[in-house]
Amino acid sequence: MSNVSDLENRLGRALDRIAKSAMALRAAKSDETPDLEALRSQLDAERAKNAQLSERVNAVRQRQESSFATLERRLARMTEQLDLQSLEMLRLKKANTKLIEANRKLREGSEAQVIEPSAINRSLVAELEALRAERAAEAAELEDVLGELTPVLSREESNA
């Protein structure tokens, strides 16, 4: 029977050790719980900040894309206007060259005291072409100015 009582004693001591270990684990777990909760709340806060930053980045990206598209449209319009002005300037140069040549022939005829009616006619036609080309160049320039003023006026009307 001493064997049984020894076994009971050993079993009792083992159960006591198990109980102490369980109590120690509970205490450790209760100590870790506030830290775990604090970490979870910090993680949630960081996730919220990350979401806000992602929204801001998306908003900035959209504004950039919108600005870029606006600048591309403006560049295309300005390129078109520059091409139109270049054509008008070329036309003006050609007309002025014709006018200079017609006036030279008219002057030579005047010096020789032989003025041909066709020379006078060519001179007047060249002058008329030069005036038309100059008017077209001015109209193209005015169109450029109006093209730049239109967006400004639209913004002013929308702000009013």
Side-chain angles (χ1 to χ4, degrees):
M1 195 109 147
S2 71
N3 247 352
V4 173
S5 62
D6 280 341
L7 286 175
E8 281 181 351
N9 285 335
R10 285 177 62 193
L11 189 58
R13 285 189 304 251
L15 287 174
D16 286 340
R17 283 193 313 262
I18 290 173
K20 285 180 185 177
S21 295
M23 291 172 94
L25 282 175
R26 283 186 194 145
K29 187 176 178 183
S30 65
D31 288 344
E32 289 177 5
T33 302
D35 291 338
L36 184 62
E37 291 301 319
L39 289 174
R40 283 186 180 153
S41 66
Q42 287 176 354
L43 179 62
D44 290 341
E46 289 300 319
R47 284 180 178 159
K49 286 180 186 177
N50 191 15
Q52 288 175 347
L53 289 175
S54 293
E55 288 175 17
R56 287 182 185 170
V57 166
N58 287 336
V60 167
R61 186 176 294 136
Q62 287 175 351
R63 279 194 306 251
Q64 264 186 330
E65 288 172 0
S66 174
S67 296
F68 186 70
T70 301
L71 289 175
E72 280 183 328
R73 285 191 302 272
R74 186 172 180 201
L75 178 63
R77 189 181 78 239
M78 292 179 93
T79 303
E80 202 175 282
Q81 291 171 347
L82 183 61
D83 290 344
L84 179 63
Q85 278 188 345
S86 295
L87 288 173
E88 293 301 330
M89 291 305 287
L90 183 62
R91 184 176 168 211
L92 184 59
K93 283 181 182 181
K94 285 181 181 179
N96 282 336
T97 302
K98 284 182 184 178
L99 180 60
I100 290 169
E101 181 62 27
N103 283 338
R104 185 186 60 76
K105 286 184 180 180
L106 194 57
R107 191 173 43 253
E108 287 173 358
S110 175
E111 288 172 0
Q113 295 182 350
V114 181
I115 301 176
E116 296 179 20
S118 63
I120 294 172
N121 221 12
R122 281 191 301 270
S123 176
L124 290 173
V125 167
E127 187 174 353
L128 188 58
E129 276 184 41
L131 289 172
R132 285 181 180 151
E134 186 177 343
R135 184 176 181 274
E138 287 174 352
E141 190 175 335
L142 184 61
E143 188 176 320
D144 290 346
V145 170
L146 287 175
E148 291 297 317
L149 286 176
T150 300
V152 172
L153 293 174
S154 295
R155 277 184 266 153
E156 289 297 321
E157 287 177 3
S158 66
N159 289 340

